[in-house]
Amino acid sequence: MQQSYLKKIASVNRVNGFLVGIIIGCLVGLALMAAVLVSGNYSSFMTLSLVVWGAVMITSILVNLFIANSRTRGVSRRIQALETTTNSRFENTHFRKVSDEVLLGEDWLVHHSGFDYRLWTREIIAKAEVEQKKLSSDDGILKIYTKGHSVPEELPVTSAGKVNSIVTAWLNNELTA
């Protein structure tokens, strides 16, 4: 059985939170070891710095895991709110990669950039279009107009031409993801 995309998002967020916590802890450890070397008082200051370093490492990892969990909860709340607009459950949806940032499911459109995930269902999208940034580049801006809003959400995309044609076909029910 294939892992749901929400579980993949949660996993990526957790790993990122853990690694960021370790990196912060290591940087603090390096600063403490530099302070020990500069002080010249190795025996008494070394024990204190190791205790402080351990506390900072654990705290940093826990705080970053909490932040990662918070990000995942935000995506989960958005999914729950949007599932009322479609019969297609997000957990059961198979996604097709359109570009590095855009994924399409049966009734779902997902844009992700780093750890920022934006989600829509076909039902709430009034129109979507892509503007190329430069004629010499295939980078563009995906503009998503939701029903009831005149101002679009503008999101960067690669493969602007491909994204424009596939998303337009998907919105017109000419394409299944």
Side-chain angles (χ1 to χ4, degrees):
M1 185 172 158
Q2 188 178 11
Q3 183 182 23
S4 78
Y5 197 67
L6 181 59
K7 289 180 181 171
K8 287 180 184 179
I9 292 170
S11 175
V12 167
N13 283 339
R14 266 192 315 274
V15 168
N16 178 64
F18 185 75
L19 292 176
V20 168
I22 287 177
I23 290 169
I24 290 170
C26 288
L27 291 174
V28 169
L30 285 173
L32 287 170
M33 290 304 119
V36 167
L37 291 174
V38 169
S39 75
N41 186 1
Y42 303 122
S43 62
S44 63
F45 197 51
M46 179 66 87
T47 305
L48 177 63
S49 65
L50 286 174
V51 169
V52 170
W53 172 73
V56 168
M57 179 71 83
I58 290 169
T59 303
S60 178
I61 291 171
L62 291 175
V63 166
N64 281 288
L65 285 174
F66 177 78
I67 291 168
N69 190 32
S70 177
R71 262 194 234 122
T72 303
R73 273 195 322 271
V75 172
S76 182
R77 281 195 296 268
R78 173 78 174 163
I79 290 168
Q80 287 175 343
L82 288 174
E83 279 186 338
T84 62
T85 67
T86 182
N87 291 329
S88 171
R89 292 203 17 94
F90 188 85
E91 289 286 323
N92 301 332
T93 301
H94 172 73
F95 287 93
R96 172 185 177 187
K97 185 175 183 176
V98 178
S99 71
D100 290 340
E101 308 81 11
V102 178
L103 299 165
L104 288 176
E106 181 182 345
D107 287 326
W108 294 87
L109 186 146
V110 177
H111 179 279
H112 69 90
S113 178
F115 301 104
D116 179 37
Y117 291 86
R118 308 275 178 105
L119 302 109
W120 300 267
T121 59
R122 193 186 322 244
E123 280 299 311
I124 68 167
I125 299 174
K127 179 173 87 168
E129 60 189 20
V130 178
E131 285 183 7
Q132 280 190 269
K133 290 182 180 178
K134 299 178 189 173
L135 291 177
S136 62
S137 169
D138 204 22
D139 292 343
I141 301 293
L142 172 62
K143 294 182 176 184
I144 297 180
Y145 295 85
T146 54
K147 293 177 180 172
H149 296 92
S150 59
V151 178
E153 288 191 59
E154 296 183 353
L155 308 157
V157 292
T158 55
S159 306
K162 179 181 175 185
V163 169
N164 191 40
S165 63
I166 292 176
V167 169
T168 301
W170 176 79
L171 279 173
N172 295 326
N173 285 320
E174 298 167 2
L175 172 81
T176 57

